[in-house]
Amino acid sequence: MSSIFHAISVISKAISRNRRPCYNNFMSQTAICRITKKPFEISDKEADFCKKLGVPLPTIAPEERMRALMATRNEWKLYRRKCDSTGQEIISAYPPDSPFKVYNNTTWWGDTWDALSFGRDFDFNRSFFEQFAELQKVVPREGTSIFNSENCDYNLHIRQSKNCFLNSLVANCEDTHYSYWIVNDKDVMDCGYTNDSTLCYDCSDINNCYNCAAIYEANDCNDCFFSFQMRGCHNCIFCSNLVNKEIHILNKPVSKEEFEAAKAKIFDGTIASWRRAYDEFLKLRGEAIQQGVHTLKCEKCTGDHIYNCKNCTNCFDSFESEDCFNGISLSDSKDVFNAYSAGWQRCEVVYNCCVSRTSTNIAFCTYTWFSTNLRYCDSCVSCHDCFGCIGLRHKRYCILNKQYSKESFDKLRMTIMEYMKKAGEWGEFFPPQLSPYAYNETGATDFFPLSKEEAIAHGWRWREPDQKEYLPATKEIMACEQCGKNYKIIPQEAKFYVRMNLPTPKKCPSCRHAARMAMRNAPHLFERACSKCGEKFESTFSPKSDGKIYCEKCYRTEVY
């Protein structure tokens, strides 16, 4: 994780649908997406990469590739169920009626079972994906992704943290709740994409901030509220695009007494005052100059929220990476094409993969740690030269979890690849039917939302809500005013609201998360004109977006 911490530190210090992807001036060819039936571009750079890996050119558009990857990862849903090894009740990413064997994390990572015991011969009378699906049903799966954390059972994808509740994608945090993709935070509630911050509420895309509420796209700020695109500011309310300012309201300097009076009026603990302030903030944000692209120290890059990157095309929320294409959440990565969450630490030569850690030369894989030369593998750790395997650790030369000699492995792998080519499977990511989760359980719903009908039509499963989650409100149980789902206010949450003079939220954590995500642009690039100079540039704001959308040069000239 050191690379992410370094990247975030650099960021904090340095800055105290007619879609058209850009390919950094590489020549390209046009293909027709087999899902959307619409044309998309394949650059010569990507074509060369596919040739080197020995995989065919993609048959679906970049967005559909990312959707398929993200639809294999449950980021928010937790269930009570039995561990299929010990019988004890556990909190898991898999519901009780899941068709998979699920072990508690201690058992899954322990040495009481061996994934090779589920190995089988390849059957050349059936498709590869059919055989892989059968292997999925019998190899135990890890219940949740919780590593080296204390009192963090009710989280997904969390490590080195303490006393956290209902978060997802967390590292090195303490006393954080209902937040998404946060690192090095403490006492943070209902936030997203926050790093190195303390005592913050309802914030997104902030770094190194303290005692803030409802601020977005901010760095190195203290005691700021309902503000947008701020840098190095202190004691500001209803402000936007300020740099190194102190004690301002509506972008104008005020006395300390005026500031404290305005703050007290907003933070009186009532939902009415909070909502009035939030409506004012939304109006301010809509009228403010908007950065068309959020990048820092990047060379020949397109995307949004990318930092210290070079030659990265169509990448988002990424750090210190080079020569990457169509990625979300990349860190310390090189030559990574079509990937969700790669690096954290170094990854190289990765193609069509979801969640890759310190791995090289892998393709069509999910959840890969410290591995090399894998194809079509899932949840493999410290493995090398494996094909179609699940849950292996420290293994080599395996196919469908069966051990082979190097010579036998090489020969059989080539034969299977030729067989898959004839069946039209080679080079395709796992089909929707093989996703371990229903579509509306996965991270894809945040970035590429589909209705139930659309998801099913594309082949994904859909999970209906448990009706027990929708009961009338009582003194102990809240009912979301938006979706009707029940939720509770946990004691540490109640203390946080009192500490910051905040009202008790009237919406459930899921609806609050959805509202924050709606404030961010989706990871799609459009060609549009700068609202000031008229020059064309690539942005996540569509040409139809209202407001003043500036290119990087004009924004910096105007604000800095």
Side-chain angles (χ1 to χ4, degrees):
M1 298 297 296
S2 62
S3 62
I4 179 175
F5 300 149
H6 174 66
I8 290 165
S9 175
V10 169
I11 297 167
S12 297
K13 292 177 181 178
I15 52 179
S16 244
R17 234 153 152 117
N18 192 36
R19 302 170 186 141
R20 178 184 170 274
C22 173
Y23 296 92
N24 284 335
N25 298 321
F26 282 90
M27 297 296 292
S28 63
Q29 56 183 288
T30 301
I32 301 299
C33 176
R34 62 176 172 80
I35 294 176
T36 66
K37 311 304 179 187
K38 296 180 180 179
F40 68 95
E41 302 294 324
I42 302 174
S43 70
D44 284 353
K45 181 180 179 181
E46 184 175 13
D48 288 344
F49 187 80
C50 290
K51 184 177 180 180
K52 291 177 183 177
L53 276 183
V55 300
L57 296 178
T59 63
I60 61 176
E63 179 179 307
E64 294 302 324
R65 285 173 242 165
M66 191 58 63
R67 183 199 304 277
L69 294 172
M70 300 188 82
T72 64
R73 192 186 200 193
N74 179 352
E75 291 188 346
W76 280 109
K77 302 295 184 180
L78 289 171
Y79 303 92
R80 292 186 181 274
R81 61 163 295 146
K82 300 286 187 181
C83 168
D84 288 315
S85 174
T86 66
Q88 71 182 97
E89 186 175 87
I90 61 173
I91 305 299
S92 175
Y94 298 90
D97 58 357
S98 170
F100 307 109
K101 287 184 179 180
V102 178
Y103 285 2
N104 68 70
N105 288 17
T106 301
T107 300
W108 194 88
W109 285 96
D111 57 5
T112 59
W113 68 284
D114 185 357
L116 284 182
S117 65
F118 303 98
R120 69 272 319 275
D121 294 325
F122 190 88
D123 185 348
F124 286 94
N125 293 312
R126 296 190 299 149
S127 75
F128 165 77
F129 288 135
E130 179 185 352
Q131 296 175 69
F132 190 87
E134 289 181 356
L135 190 62
Q136 277 185 313
K137 300 297 192 299
V138 297
V139 178
R141 306 188 74 82
E142 181 188 23
T144 54
S145 298
I146 301 174
F147 302 99
N148 301 324
S149 296
E150 178 183 345
N151 191 26
C152 292
D153 291 345
Y154 291 85
N155 293 272
L156 283 152
H157 314 291
I158 184 170
R159 62 185 65 233
Q160 288 88 41
S161 296
K162 181 179 179 181
N163 300 332
C164 297
F165 183 73
L166 285 188
N167 306 284
S168 182
L169 311 184
V170 180
N172 258 21
C173 290
E174 185 173 350
D175 298 311
T176 61
H177 313 293
Y178 312 117
S179 297
Y180 179 70
W181 198 355
I182 56 176
V183 178
N184 290 345
D185 287 349
K186 180 175 172 58
D187 292 317
V188 162
M189 182 89 64
D190 274 318
C191 289
Y193 303 91
T194 66
N195 306 290
D196 299 304
S197 297
T198 301
L199 201 63
C200 292
Y201 177 72
D202 194 13
C203 300
S204 182
D205 293 283
I206 66 172
N207 295 284
N208 193 33
C209 293
Y210 176 80
N211 191 33
C212 295
I215 65 170
Y216 287 68
E217 304 285 357
N219 293 272
D220 305 311
C221 293
N222 296 340
D223 302 289
C224 290
F225 312 98
F226 298 99
S227 296
F228 177 60
Q229 290 181 169
M230 307 283 283
R231 304 288 182 268
C233 293
H234 308 280
N235 302 99
C236 294
I237 301 174
F238 299 134
C239 292
S240 65
N241 294 312
L242 294 186
V243 179
N244 299 328
K245 300 297 183 182
E246 186 173 358
I247 314 180
H248 277 55
I249 297 177
L250 292 172
N251 280 28
K252 296 180 179 180
V254 297
S255 68
K256 185 176 180 181
E257 292 73 21
E258 288 175 307
F259 176 84
E260 293 298 336
K263 179 182 174 183
K265 185 176 180 180
I266 293 171
F267 293 97
D268 64 2
T270 67
I271 194 68
S273 294
W274 174 268
R275 285 176 170 170
R276 281 194 298 269
Y278 207 86
D279 287 343
E280 180 72 18
F281 166 68
L282 292 178
K283 179 182 177 182
L284 173 153
R285 183 174 179 265
E287 295 173 351
I289 296 171
Q290 299 260 12
Q291 281 184 272
V293 178
H294 303 88
T295 63
L296 176 68
K297 293 187 176 180
C298 291
E299 181 181 345
K300 296 182 179 179
C301 292
T302 63
D304 205 12
H305 294 105
I306 50 179
Y307 310 96
N308 287 355
C309 292
K310 181 179 179 181
N311 297 331
C312 289
T313 302
N314 202 50
C315 291
F316 304 86
D317 304 307
S318 297
F319 308 86
E320 296 184 318
S321 295
E322 184 176 355
D323 296 319
C324 298
F325 167 75
N326 197 37
I328 295 178
S329 182
L330 309 180
S331 173
D332 190 21
S333 292
K334 180 174 172 55
D335 293 317
V336 171
F337 282 56
N338 306 305
Y340 176 48
S341 191
W344 324 96
Q345 298 166 343
R346 187 72 165 181
C347 277
E348 290 192 34
V349 190
V350 174
Y351 186 71
N352 267 23
C353 291
C354 177
V355 187
S356 310
R357 301 288 180 262
T358 317
S359 295
T360 302
N361 189 19
I362 60 172
F364 317 112
C365 294
T366 57
Y367 292 92
T368 304
W369 292 275
F370 316 112
S371 296
T372 303
N373 197 23
L374 305 188
R375 301 291 186 269
Y376 292 103
C377 290
D378 176 23
S379 303
C380 288
V381 183
S382 299
C383 291
H384 305 274
D385 301 282
C386 292
F387 193 105
C389 293
I390 303 175
L392 296 183
R393 278 170 285 166
H394 304 284
K395 297 296 188 290
R396 193 164 194 169
Y397 306 130
C398 297
I399 296 175
L400 291 180
N401 284 35
K402 183 176 179 178
Q403 183 73 64
Y404 293 88
S405 67
K406 181 183 186 306
E407 294 74 16
S408 298
F409 169 83
D410 289 339
K411 182 178 179 180
L412 180 57
R413 179 180 60 174
M414 293 302 298
T415 305
I416 292 174
M417 287 166 53
E418 292 301 320
Y419 178 79
M420 292 176 67
K421 289 177 184 178
K422 294 178 181 178
E425 294 180 318
W426 177 245
E428 300 295 336
F429 189 68
F430 298 113
Q433 295 80 2
L434 268 64
S435 172
Y437 309 103
Y439 191 84
N440 58 331
E441 293 175 312
T442 70
T445 56
D446 282 330
F447 293 81
F448 308 103
L450 293 176
S451 67
K452 174 183 176 180
E453 293 73 22
E454 290 171 330
I456 292 175
H458 281 78
W460 278 287
R461 294 180 292 113
W462 189 270
R463 187 168 185 84
E464 296 296 343
D466 186 342
Q467 290 305 310
K468 289 188 293 185
E469 296 179 341
Y470 297 84
L471 300 172
T474 66
K475 185 177 181 180
E476 294 80 19
I477 300 176
M478 309 282 286
C480 176
E481 65 180 13
Q482 181 170 326
C483 72
K485 183 178 178 180
N486 295 123
Y487 63 102
K488 291 183 177 181
I489 305 298
I490 60 176
Q492 54 268 47
E493 179 184 2
K495 291 179 181 178
F496 182 91
Y497 296 144
V498 171
R499 182 179 180 183
M500 294 194 71
N501 292 320
L502 295 167
T504 300
K506 301 302 180 182
K507 296 180 182 179
C508 70
S510 296
C511 287
R512 292 173 348 230
H513 169 73
R516 285 192 303 278
M517 291 299 290
M519 297 281 281
R520 290 183 112 230
N521 288 346
H524 313 302
L525 288 178
F526 305 86
E527 185 179 72
R528 61 159 297 132
C530 171
S531 300
K532 185 175 184 180
C533 71
E535 289 292 323
K536 296 290 183 68
F537 71 107
E538 297 268 308
S539 172
T540 54
F541 289 92
S542 80
K544 298 179 181 179
S545 297
D546 295 329
K548 294 173 282 189
I549 316 300
Y550 282 19
C551 67
E552 182 177 6
K553 181 180 179 180
C554 288
Y555 180 82
R556 293 192 176 277
T557 300
E558 184 77 19
V559 174
Y560 291 91

